[in-house]
Amino acid sequence: MRLLLVEDDTMIGEAVLQVLRGENYAVDWVRDGVMADEALRTEQYDLVLLDLGLPKRDGLEVLRGLRSRRNPVPVLIATARDAVGNRIAGLDAGADDYVVKPYDTDELLARIRALLRRAAGRAEPVFEYKGISLNPATHEATVGGQPVSLSAREWAVLEPLLVRPGAVLSRAQLEEKLFSWKDDISSNAVEVYIHGVRKKLGNDLIQTVRGLGYLVPKE
Ligand code: CA
């Protein structure tokens, strides 16, 4: 899944970036409100982690602009612990949830998972599909009750397909969810990871739609 991190503090930004990438999210990081606006107008994200106090353009302004363009991307705002007024203003401006700084890393990741789940129209934390069970929080996968070990990248290519069964994602769309701006993309990476998933979870889960891309069929 592809995330936009908007954070002007270098130390915090680098720390959060590391945590998010460690969870296999593809993350783009911008450090001011104008860059955030630009990224949100040109790229498609699954979630935005938005600091409110930003140079050049305030986080609230970025958020209002985003919602006025009817962009429904889930937004998690970050505020100081005592900034209740900011949190209320942020939620009323279209944010979906908030986290307080300094971050509790586990809480941050749990809130991100919850928002991604809700954005996909799900409430259940574990994916269940035809005998296959996948838990994004623990990265545990089982087939017919037997544990299977997926690599980080295999997991990352499978998750966007799994959250919306029946929806086709092209190779380019999957690449966007796997890699952020700075990563080097090898041309057949998506195919390689999908091949790996099929070997471990069976050939039926990820289907190729010729000329269009891939899908996980509806049950
Ligand atoms: Ca800030």
Side-chain angles (χ1 to χ4, degrees), residues 7-8 51 53:
E7 172 62 67
D8 58 311
D51 180 31

Side-chain angles (χ1 to χ4, degrees), residues 183-205:
D183 293 321
D184 220 359
I185 305 177
S186 74
S187 61
N188 65 342
V190 166
E191 282 90 340
V192 169
Y193 302 134
I194 285 182
H195 178 72
V197 172
R198 283 174 172 159
K199 257 173 84 177
K200 292 172 182 174
L201 301 183
N203 282 326
D204 294 342
L205 183 63

Side-chain angles (χ1 to χ4, degrees), residues 74-115:
V75 176
L76 186 53
I77 51 170
T79 70
R81 192 164 295 279
D82 54 358
V84 183
N86 269 350
R87 292 204 279 280
I88 295 168
L91 290 167
D92 282 337
D96 299 279
D97 196 4
Y98 67 88
V99 275
V100 293
K101 291 183 180 182
Y103 293 117
D104 179 289
T105 311
D106 291 336
E107 184 190 10
L108 172 65
L109 293 174
R111 285 183 190 270
I112 288 172
R113 286 192 295 271
L115 282 185

